[in-house]
Structures are given as structure tokens and as C-alpha cells.
Amino acid sequence: MREFSISNREKLRRIDPVILLCVLGMNILSIVTLASAADEYGTWYVKVQALASVVSIVAMFVITFIDYDALFQKLKYVFFAVSILLIIIVKIWGTGSNGNENWISIGNVSIQPTELVKITFMITFALHLDRVKDKINHPWSIVQLALHAGLIIGMIVWQGDTGMALVYIAIMAFMLFGAGVSLWYFGGVAASVLIVSPFIWSVLSEKQQMRILAGFNPELDPSGAGWQAILSRNAIIAGGFRGAGFSGGTQYGNLWGGQSDFLFSVLAEKFGFLGTLLYLVLITVLIIRILWLARQTRKKYASFLCIGIAGMLIAQTVENIGMCLALLPVVGITLPFFSYGASSILSVYICMGLLQSICTHNKKYYFERENE
């Protein structure tokens, strides 16, 4: 198959404007929301978020100009090894609280390696799916894929980050579905989970059980496990339709983690339903655009990668907003392009860089899609 060169100017022309505008819109909304709460949380978070955003945007454009296909083929085993190594490093030297020690501190800077492992996991899993795509529903293929994902997810659980493990499971499920895995396998897994659920519940401590129950009904433990969710919901209710304004609002000040995992609640109180609707429209358009791109890719594994990224965004958005509304358990998941956190911002921008690389290198060959 004949290949032709692509100039950097041509690559810039091929950048997807919808993806770019959506992510920049959510990022700006994040910084504005943090700035509006600076009287309560301080200006530090605004400065760090702005700096992390600039660095992440630069990283996205750098990745955009790299040929993703050449990169993945050369470093696919390195990506898998890096995934394992980073999780082990976090397990040994990680810091945190409540048994969730998933941060690495370097001087005054803390990073969350599992955010970056999501990227390497999606890349290697997409390549694995591509390798077995012609026999995707063969039991041995399913076993291999389960071992691949199970190793990474199991290590995340071993590390103590259950919330992040749930995101990985969602990514895996979306990618398997997109690759054409039979619904019978999904049904079998669901049935197995239902069967073992009573046993798992029985071995949980009373505190763990209450934390799960309070996640769906915080009034069961309003001064304990449900306290944060109730405060978050009160802030959202206080915002009403238009919100209290840039300098208004009082409920968000009671929130622990209002600048990070619960920043959506701050947005709701400050800018009301209209502010939250803006974010929801931007993230929805972005996800739809990514799924559209998945149908246009030259390489099938690039399509699987697009689906994985879309699945990650869906899972994190649903979980984060669900816990802010006191509808789902609080598990410490960030809202994409919005919650404070350099690691979170960098990881999603790297994903966007990979998507833009797929766009800019999608017509590298005369044929639009390869069948190998």
C-alpha cells in the first residue's frame, strides 16, 4: 500500500475542531468555577489548574503531530510494562488516606500514576483486540483478554483504588462491546456477579456496607457516610436555575473536596442549572464526536481506542455527577476536563492528543481503511 508524506500544515488543517472546542470549553469553565470559589479555597488551585492546562494542551498538540500507528507498533510491549511498573511503584511508595494510597509525591508535587496507566491500558488492550478480532468470540480469545485486563484491574484493586478500578472495568466493557464480543459473555458475567454478590456482602464490614448503602441513600447515615453527599446535593439545590453568581453562594464552602471531586456542585451553586447544562452539552458533544471518529478510523485498533476513551469519559461523568447528586457512592472519581488535578487534566488531554493524531494521520494511505 503506497504511503504519502503529510506536512505539519496539513496536520494542523486536519485537527478536529469539534473535539478541540469542547475540551477547551470545559477546561475554561473549570478555571472560571475555581476562580469563583477562590475566596473559600484560595487562588492556589486556580493557578495550578491553569498551569496544568497549559502544559496539557501543549502535550496534546505534540502528540497530534506524532504518527500514532508507528508509535504504538514500536512501543506496545513497553506500554504494557510501564503499566505494571507504575502500579507497583504506587503500591510501594504511594501516599494517601483511608487505604487508598494512589499518589506519588515528588517534592511539593503529587501525581496519580493510575490516571496515566489508563492510557497505556487502552492502547495495549486495543492492540490485543485487533490481534484477535477475527476470532473475538472464541473462548480462548476471551480468556486471553480477561487475563490482560484482569491483571491491570486486579493490581489497581490491590493498590486500594476501587473507584479507579471501576473506571477500568467500564473501559474494558465498552471496548469489548465495540469489538463485537457476544452479549452472551456479558450476560454470563452479570449473572456470575449476582450469584456471588451475597457472599461478597457478607464478608464486608458493617462500615463498608453502610458506605455502599449511604451512597444510594445518604439519609441512612447523614452524619457519617452520607454527610458529604448531602452537603453536595444541598449546594446543587441552592443554585437553582440561574445560580448565585460568580461571587455568590455559601453552601459550597461546607464541602470537603469542593475544588476537586465535587467541583460540579460548586458549578451548580454558582451558575445554576444553566452552568451545569453547558458542561453536559460539551461533554455529550465530545463523546458523540469520538464515537463518530471511531467509525472513520483507518486502523481497527484505533477505532477500539476511540471507544475506550469514550467509555472512560462516560463512566467518569456518570459516576462523578451521580455522587454529587447523592445518587451513587462517593468513590473519588474526577469529572473529565473539569475537576481540579494536574494528573487528571494531563491524562485526558493526552487522550485527546491521541484522537487528534488519529484524525491527522487517518489518510496516510490512499485507501481509507485497512483490513489487515
Side-chain angles (χ1 to χ4, degrees):
M1 189 173 294
R2 188 177 175 190
E3 180 181 349
F4 60 89
S5 60
I6 307 172
S7 67
N8 287 336
R9 180 176 295 181
E10 178 66 13
K11 291 178 181 178
L12 276 175
R13 192 183 68 81
R14 293 181 182 181
I15 287 177
D16 191 304
V18 176
I19 293 176
L20 184 61
L21 291 175
C22 285
V23 300
L24 291 179
M26 288 183 284
N27 201 167
I28 293 171
L29 186 61
S30 167
I31 294 172
V32 170
T33 304
L34 284 169
S36 72
D39 289 342
E40 182 66 35
Y41 301 131
T43 59
W44 166 259
Y45 296 108
V46 183
K47 295 176 182 178
V48 173
Q49 188 79 335
L51 178 59
S53 298
V54 171
V55 172
S56 299
I57 291 170
V58 171
M60 176 185 68
F61 278 104
V62 169
I63 295 171
T64 297
F65 287 97
I66 298 173
D67 185 347
Y68 75 94
D69 185 29
L71 180 68
F72 292 177
Q73 296 299 335
K74 290 178 181 178
L75 299 178
K76 55 186 174 182
Y77 297 113
V78 174
F79 285 140
F80 188 76
V82 167
S83 300
I84 302 296
L85 182 60
L86 284 175
I87 298 173
I88 293 174
I89 289 174
V90 173
K91 181 62 179 178
I92 297 174
W93 290 291
T95 60
S97 59
N98 299 321
N100 190 4
E101 299 178 345
N102 56 356
W103 295 88
I104 293 292
S105 297
I106 304 174
N108 295 325
V109 179
S110 294
I111 60 174
Q112 190 175 8
T114 48
E115 287 283 356
L116 302 177
V117 174
K118 280 190 298 189
I119 302 167
T120 55
F121 169 71
M122 285 188 287
I123 292 171
T124 57
F125 201 64
L127 290 166
H128 192 161
L129 285 169
D130 185 62
R131 184 167 59 84
V132 300
K133 62 180 181 291
D134 294 330
K135 46 184 178 180
I136 189 68
N137 285 305
H138 190 282
W140 179 234
S141 297
I142 297 299
V143 169
Q144 289 178 308
L145 291 166
L147 290 173
H148 181 156
L151 175 62
I152 302 297
I153 295 171
M155 292 186 71
I156 297 292
V157 174
W158 170 61
Q159 176 190 302
D161 196 349
T162 307
M164 186 64 73
L166 293 174
V167 175
Y168 278 70
I169 291 172
I171 291 170
M172 175 191 67
F174 273 95
M175 294 179 76
L176 289 174
F177 180 79
V181 171
S182 172
L183 293 178
W184 286 106
Y185 285 111
F186 288 96
V189 172
S192 300
V193 171
L194 288 175
I195 292 172
V196 302
S197 291
F199 171 75
I200 296 175
W201 183 260
S202 65
V203 300
L204 295 177
S205 66
E206 185 176 345
K207 182 178 179 180
Q208 291 172 319
Q209 291 177 351
M210 180 52 67
R211 185 175 179 181
I212 294 173
L213 293 174
F216 298 101
N217 184 9
E219 279 76 15
L220 291 174
D221 189 13
S223 60
W227 177 72
Q228 181 74 349
I230 291 174
L231 292 179
S232 172
R233 186 177 59 191
N234 290 342
I236 293 174
I237 293 172
F241 187 75
R242 295 184 178 179
F246 186 88
S247 302
T250 57
Q251 296 295 319
Y252 73 92
N254 301 319
L255 276 171
W256 182 87
Q259 78 284 358
S260 54
D261 296 345
F262 287 91
L263 189 60
F264 181 83
S265 303
V266 180
L267 171 69
E269 184 174 9
K270 291 283 188 176
F271 304 107
F273 173 76
L274 293 177
T276 59
L277 180 62
L278 175 59
Y279 176 84
L280 290 173
V281 168
L282 289 172
I283 193 68
T284 300
V285 172
L286 175 62
I287 291 169
I288 292 173
R289 188 64 173 182
I290 294 172
L291 292 175
W292 173 87
L293 178 61
R295 296 178 60 87
Q296 312 300 318
T297 59
R298 174 172 55 86
K299 293 281 188 177
K300 289 217 171 183
Y301 74 78
S303 177
F304 302 148
L305 178 60
C306 291
I307 293 171
I309 293 173
M312 176 192 72
L313 296 177
I314 292 170
Q316 291 193 205
T317 301
V318 170
E319 169 54 36
N320 183 277
I321 295 179
M323 72 182 191
C324 287
L325 290 169
L327 297 175
L328 293 174
V330 177
V331 292
I333 296 297
T334 56
L335 193 59
F337 301 101
F338 192 71
S339 295
Y340 166 81
S343 299
S344 175
I345 289 291
L346 178 61
S347 68
V348 288
Y349 266 110
I350 289 175
C351 288
M352 296 306 105
L354 293 175
L355 294 176
Q356 295 290 14
S357 178
I358 291 172
C359 291
T360 57
H361 296 86
N362 208 31
K363 295 180 181 178
K364 181 180 176 183
Y365 297 94
Y366 285 125
F367 297 119
E368 287 214 1
R369 186 157 191 159
E370 298 175 20
N371 297 318
E372 76 274 13

